[in-house]
Amino acid sequence: MDNSPSEGSTGLSAVRRVDYAGEGLVESEVADSPYAQARAWLDAAVAASHERADVPEPTALSVATVDAHGAPNVRTVLMRFFDERGPGFVTNLESAKGVEISADPRIAAALTWPSLYRAIRFRGTAQLIGRDEVESYFDSRPYGSRLSAWASDQSRPAPDRAALEAKWAEALARFPEDRDEEVPVPDFWGGWRIECDEVEFWAGRRNRLHDRIVFTRTGSGNLAEASAWTMSRRQP
């Protein structure tokens, strides 16, 4: 028997359906600010990652930007900063996302924890992270991660794997691990923080009746200032 998908089929009939058994999120349990709620969920996800194998990268952040033609572009990075000012990540500033953000700072991002039936969506504009914060973070990275920032012309074409390995060898020779000085931060490397106008908390429920609690900016202030935000519910 031919088990290949028939014409017009999605080819996904074998995917197991999951009825989300999450705890949900009701208004009476929501913190008074988007920062307090996001921090609680993030801390819970990080804690779960130490106890469970199904939360491997709790700070994995999907980041969407807009390219020069107005088309959306999305990729996953690791969230390296999170405080009252918003979530932030690091990158080569000359990468595709760096170039796109420089031209159009509108940005959206999401933290998703499928096994916890939770997700957080951020929408707003990207702001460059201060050089002092970037340098402090860069110095905390493992030696190999600092080298890779020098070795990769991020987002540019590469002829093959050997070319990338050759760039790595050059960086290794330039900044040997046994040298007295630290590996410096490249001028072309930095970070972006999302100044949020909207933060949505998604909590999976049975029968697809999920909870979506949204904080919308209605005044000036950071993520921790409750007076700057209005909370509402969206249908799933």
PDB file of all heavy atoms in Angstrom, residues 5-26:
ATOM      1  N   PRO A   5       1.491  10.868   1.217  1.00  0.00           N
ATOM      2  CA  PRO A   5       0.339  11.755   1.317  1.00  0.00           C
ATOM      3  C   PRO A   5      -0.354  11.893  -0.021  1.00  0.00           C
ATOM      4  O   PRO A   5       0.284  11.984  -1.068  1.00  0.00           O
ATOM      5  CB  PRO A   5       0.961  13.097   1.764  1.00  0.00           C
ATOM      6  CG  PRO A   5       2.264  12.728   2.380  1.00  0.00           C
ATOM      7  CD  PRO A   5       2.740  11.524   1.623  1.00  0.00           C
ATOM      8  N   SER A   6      -1.664  11.864  -0.022  1.00  0.00           N
ATOM      9  CA  SER A   6      -2.414  12.043  -1.254  1.00  0.00           C
ATOM     10  C   SER A   6      -2.395  13.493  -1.675  1.00  0.00           C
ATOM     11  O   SER A   6      -2.084  14.390  -0.887  1.00  0.00           O
ATOM     12  CB  SER A   6      -3.862  11.590  -1.038  1.00  0.00           C
ATOM     13  OG  SER A   6      -4.474  12.354  -0.001  1.00  0.00           O
ATOM     14  N   GLU A   7      -2.759  13.736  -2.937  1.00  0.00           N
ATOM     15  CA  GLU A   7      -2.762  15.101  -3.453  1.00  0.00           C
ATOM     16  C   GLU A   7      -3.736  15.948  -2.637  1.00  0.00           C
ATOM     17  O   GLU A   7      -4.875  15.562  -2.381  1.00  0.00           O
ATOM     18  CB  GLU A   7      -3.178  15.103  -4.923  1.00  0.00           C
ATOM     19  CG  GLU A   7      -3.098  16.476  -5.571  1.00  0.00           C
ATOM     20  CD  GLU A   7      -3.421  16.418  -7.049  1.00  0.00           C
ATOM     21  OE1 GLU A   7      -3.574  15.309  -7.581  1.00  0.00           O
ATOM     22  OE2 GLU A   7      -3.518  17.495  -7.655  1.00  0.00           O
ATOM     23  N   GLY A   8      -3.278  17.087  -2.199  1.00  0.00           N
ATOM     24  CA  GLY A   8      -4.106  17.971  -1.387  1.00  0.00           C
ATOM     25  C   GLY A   8      -3.997  17.707   0.094  1.00  0.00           C
ATOM     26  O   GLY A   8      -4.529  18.451   0.905  1.00  0.00           O
ATOM     27  N   SER A   9      -3.330  16.619   0.468  1.00  0.00           N
ATOM     28  CA  SER A   9      -3.173  16.314   1.891  1.00  0.00           C
ATOM     29  C   SER A   9      -2.109  17.201   2.507  1.00  0.00           C
ATOM     30  O   SER A   9      -1.150  17.596   1.853  1.00  0.00           O
ATOM     31  CB  SER A   9      -2.786  14.849   2.063  1.00  0.00           C
ATOM     32  OG  SER A   9      -2.385  14.587   3.405  1.00  0.00           O
ATOM     33  N   THR A  10      -2.262  17.487   3.785  1.00  0.00           N
ATOM     34  CA  THR A  10      -1.242  18.272   4.488  1.00  0.00           C
ATOM     35  C   THR A  10      -0.029  17.429   4.815  1.00  0.00           C
ATOM     36  O   THR A  10       1.033  17.952   5.115  1.00  0.00           O
ATOM     37  CB  THR A  10      -1.802  18.844   5.806  1.00  0.00           C
ATOM     38  OG1 THR A  10      -2.145  17.758   6.672  1.00  0.00           O
ATOM     39  CG2 THR A  10      -3.029  19.701   5.546  1.00  0.00           C
ATOM     40  N   GLY A  11      -0.201  16.095   4.818  1.00  0.00           N
ATOM     41  CA  GLY A  11       0.906  15.224   5.190  1.00  0.00           C
ATOM     42  C   GLY A  11       1.193  15.215   6.670  1.00  0.00           C
ATOM     43  O   GLY A  11       2.221  14.724   7.109  1.00  0.00           O
ATOM     44  N   LEU A  12       0.255  15.747   7.479  1.00  0.00           N
ATOM     45  CA  LEU A  12       0.475  15.843   8.930  1.00  0.00           C
ATOM     46  C   LEU A  12      -0.537  15.011   9.713  1.00  0.00           C
ATOM     47  O   LEU A  12      -0.710  15.215  10.912  1.00  0.00           O
ATOM     48  CB  LEU A  12       0.383  17.309   9.372  1.00  0.00           C
ATOM     49  CG  LEU A  12       1.439  18.244   8.785  1.00  0.00           C
ATOM     50  CD1 LEU A  12       1.165  19.682   9.232  1.00  0.00           C
ATOM     51  CD2 LEU A  12       2.846  17.832   9.200  1.00  0.00           C
ATOM     52  N   SER A  13      -1.195  14.076   9.043  1.00  0.00           N
ATOM     53  CA  SER A  13      -2.238  13.304   9.708  1.00  0.00           C
ATOM     54  C   SER A  13      -1.694  12.442  10.838  1.00  0.00           C
ATOM     55  O   SER A  13      -2.426  12.070  11.749  1.00  0.00           O
ATOM     56  CB  SER A  13      -2.963  12.424   8.684  1.00  0.00           C
ATOM     57  OG  SER A  13      -2.046  11.541   8.049  1.00  0.00           O
ATOM     58  N   ALA A  14      -0.386  12.115  10.777  1.00  0.00           N
ATOM     59  CA  ALA A  14       0.190  11.250  11.805  1.00  0.00           C
ATOM     60  C   ALA A  14       0.639  12.019  13.041  1.00  0.00           C
ATOM     61  O   ALA A  14       1.044  11.418  14.031  1.00  0.00           O
ATOM     62  CB  ALA A  14       1.371  10.469  11.232  1.00  0.00           C
ATOM     63  N   VAL A  15       0.588  13.347  13.001  1.00  0.00           N
ATOM     64  CA  VAL A  15       1.003  14.139  14.150  1.00  0.00           C
ATOM     65  C   VAL A  15       0.015  13.945  15.293  1.00  0.00           C
ATOM     66  O   VAL A  15      -1.203  14.046  15.110  1.00  0.00           O
ATOM     67  CB  VAL A  15       1.090  15.644  13.785  1.00  0.00           C
ATOM     68  CG1 VAL A  15       1.394  16.474  15.026  1.00  0.00           C
ATOM     69  CG2 VAL A  15       2.155  15.867  12.729  1.00  0.00           C
ATOM     70  N   ARG A  16       0.530  13.647  16.455  1.00  0.00           N
ATOM     71  CA  ARG A  16      -0.326  13.392  17.616  1.00  0.00           C
ATOM     72  C   ARG A  16      -1.001  14.665  18.085  1.00  0.00           C
ATOM     73  O   ARG A  16      -0.367  15.703  18.262  1.00  0.00           O
ATOM     74  CB  ARG A  16       0.523  12.814  18.756  1.00  0.00           C
ATOM     75  CG  ARG A  16      -0.270  12.465  20.014  1.00  0.00           C
ATOM     76  CD  ARG A  16       0.623  11.735  21.023  1.00  0.00           C
ATOM     77  NE  ARG A  16       1.670  12.607  21.519  1.00  0.00           N
ATOM     78  CZ  ARG A  16       1.559  13.346  22.641  1.00  0.00           C
ATOM     79  NH1 ARG A  16       0.432  13.313  23.339  1.00  0.00           N
ATOM     80  NH2 ARG A  16       2.559  14.091  23.056  1.00  0.00           N
ATOM     81  N   ARG A  17      -2.313  14.592  18.269  1.00  0.00           N
ATOM     82  CA  ARG A  17      -3.040  15.735  18.795  1.00  0.00           C
ATOM     83  C   ARG A  17      -2.864  15.814  20.309  1.00  0.00           C
ATOM     84  O   ARG A  17      -2.903  14.791  20.995  1.00  0.00           O
ATOM     85  CB  ARG A  17      -4.524  15.640  18.457  1.00  0.00           C
ATOM     86  CG  ARG A  17      -4.836  15.845  16.980  1.00  0.00           C
ATOM     87  CD  ARG A  17      -6.327  15.841  16.740  1.00  0.00           C
ATOM     88  NE  ARG A  17      -6.630  16.111  15.339  1.00  0.00           N
ATOM     89  CZ  ARG A  17      -6.765  17.320  14.811  1.00  0.00           C
ATOM     90  NH1 ARG A  17      -6.604  18.384  15.593  1.00  0.00           N
ATOM     91  NH2 ARG A  17      -7.047  17.484  13.537  1.00  0.00           N
ATOM     92  N   VAL A  18      -2.682  17.010  20.808  1.00  0.00           N
ATOM     93  CA  VAL A  18      -2.491  17.216  22.243  1.00  0.00           C
ATOM     94  C   VAL A  18      -3.565  18.163  22.752  1.00  0.00           C
ATOM     95  O   VAL A  18      -3.750  19.250  22.200  1.00  0.00           O
ATOM     96  CB  VAL A  18      -1.097  17.810  22.534  1.00  0.00           C
ATOM     97  CG1 VAL A  18      -0.938  18.079  24.028  1.00  0.00           C
ATOM     98  CG2 VAL A  18       0.000  16.881  22.048  1.00  0.00           C
ATOM     99  N   ASP A  19      -4.264  17.755  23.779  1.00  0.00           N
ATOM    100  CA  ASP A  19      -5.225  18.642  24.428  1.00  0.00           C
ATOM    101  C   ASP A  19      -4.499  19.301  25.591  1.00  0.00           C
ATOM    102  O   ASP A  19      -4.123  18.650  26.562  1.00  0.00           O
ATOM    103  CB  ASP A  19      -6.427  17.844  24.932  1.00  0.00           C
ATOM    104  CG  ASP A  19      -7.614  18.739  25.245  1.00  0.00           C
ATOM    105  OD1 ASP A  19      -7.575  19.932  24.877  1.00  0.00           O
ATOM    106  OD2 ASP A  19      -8.576  18.245  25.858  1.00  0.00           O
ATOM    107  N   TYR A  20      -4.248  20.585  25.474  1.00  0.00           N
ATOM    108  CA  TYR A  20      -3.389  21.272  26.423  1.00  0.00           C
ATOM    109  C   TYR A  20      -3.984  21.261  27.832  1.00  0.00           C
ATOM    110  O   TYR A  20      -5.083  21.757  28.058  1.00  0.00           O
ATOM    111  CB  TYR A  20      -3.150  22.709  25.981  1.00  0.00           C
ATOM    112  CG  TYR A  20      -2.503  22.835  24.627  1.00  0.00           C
ATOM    113  CD1 TYR A  20      -2.627  24.000  23.891  1.00  0.00           C
ATOM    114  CD2 TYR A  20      -1.775  21.783  24.079  1.00  0.00           C
ATOM    115  CE1 TYR A  20      -2.026  24.123  22.632  1.00  0.00           C
ATOM    116  CE2 TYR A  20      -1.178  21.891  22.838  1.00  0.00           C
ATOM    117  CZ  TYR A  20      -1.309  23.059  22.121  1.00  0.00           C
ATOM    118  OH  TYR A  20      -0.727  23.170  20.888  1.00  0.00           O
ATOM    119  N   ALA A  21      -3.226  20.719  28.750  1.00  0.00           N
ATOM    120  CA  ALA A  21      -3.691  20.586  30.135  1.00  0.00           C
ATOM    121  C   ALA A  21      -2.997  21.600  31.027  1.00  0.00           C
ATOM    122  O   ALA A  21      -2.496  21.266  32.105  1.00  0.00           O
ATOM    123  CB  ALA A  21      -3.441  19.165  30.639  1.00  0.00           C
ATOM    124  N   GLY A  22      -2.930  22.830  30.565  1.00  0.00           N
ATOM    125  CA  GLY A  22      -2.268  23.865  31.344  1.00  0.00           C
ATOM    126  C   GLY A  22      -3.124  24.382  32.483  1.00  0.00           C
ATOM    127  O   GLY A  22      -4.326  24.097  32.571  1.00  0.00           O
ATOM    128  N   GLU A  23      -2.498  25.153  33.352  1.00  0.00           N
ATOM    129  CA  GLU A  23      -3.206  25.718  34.497  1.00  0.00           C
ATOM    130  C   GLU A  23      -4.062  26.910  34.101  1.00  0.00           C
ATOM    131  O   GLU A  23      -4.936  27.335  34.858  1.00  0.00           O
ATOM    132  CB  GLU A  23      -2.207  26.142  35.570  1.00  0.00           C
ATOM    133  CG  GLU A  23      -1.371  25.005  36.131  1.00  0.00           C
ATOM    134  CD  GLU A  23      -0.309  25.491  37.100  1.00  0.00           C
ATOM    135  OE1 GLU A  23      -0.183  26.731  37.281  1.00  0.00           O
ATOM    136  OE2 GLU A  23       0.392  24.646  37.678  1.00  0.00           O
ATOM    137  N   GLY A  24      -3.792  27.476  32.922  1.00  0.00           N
ATOM    138  CA  GLY A  24      -4.537  28.645  32.501  1.00  0.00           C
ATOM    139  C   GLY A  24      -4.080  29.898  33.219  1.00  0.00           C
ATOM    140  O   GLY A  24      -3.132  29.886  34.021  1.00  0.00           O
ATOM    141  N   LEU A  25      -4.769  30.994  32.932  1.00  0.00           N
ATOM    142  CA  LEU A  25      -4.433  32.276  33.562  1.00  0.00           C
ATOM    143  C   LEU A  25      -5.699  33.117  33.625  1.00  0.00           C
ATOM    144  O   LEU A  25      -6.256  33.495  32.599  1.00  0.00           O
ATOM    145  CB  LEU A  25      -3.353  33.003  32.749  1.00  0.00           C
ATOM    146  CG  LEU A  25      -2.822  34.304  33.344  1.00  0.00           C
ATOM    147  CD1 LEU A  25      -2.076  34.040  34.645  1.00  0.00           C
ATOM    148  CD2 LEU A  25      -1.901  35.010  32.347  1.00  0.00           C
ATOM    149  N   VAL A  26      -6.163  33.393  34.838  1.00  0.00           N
ATOM    150  CA  VAL A  26      -7.347  34.228  35.012  1.00  0.00           C
ATOM    151  C   VAL A  26      -6.926  35.573  35.587  1.00  0.00           C
ATOM    152  O   VAL A  26      -5.883  35.700  36.233  1.00  0.00           O
ATOM    153  CB  VAL A  26      -8.387  33.547  35.933  1.00  0.00           C
ATOM    154  CG1 VAL A  26      -8.914  32.281  35.284  1.00  0.00           C
ATOM    155  CG2 VAL A  26      -7.795  33.238  37.303  1.00  0.00           C
TER     156      VAL A  26
END
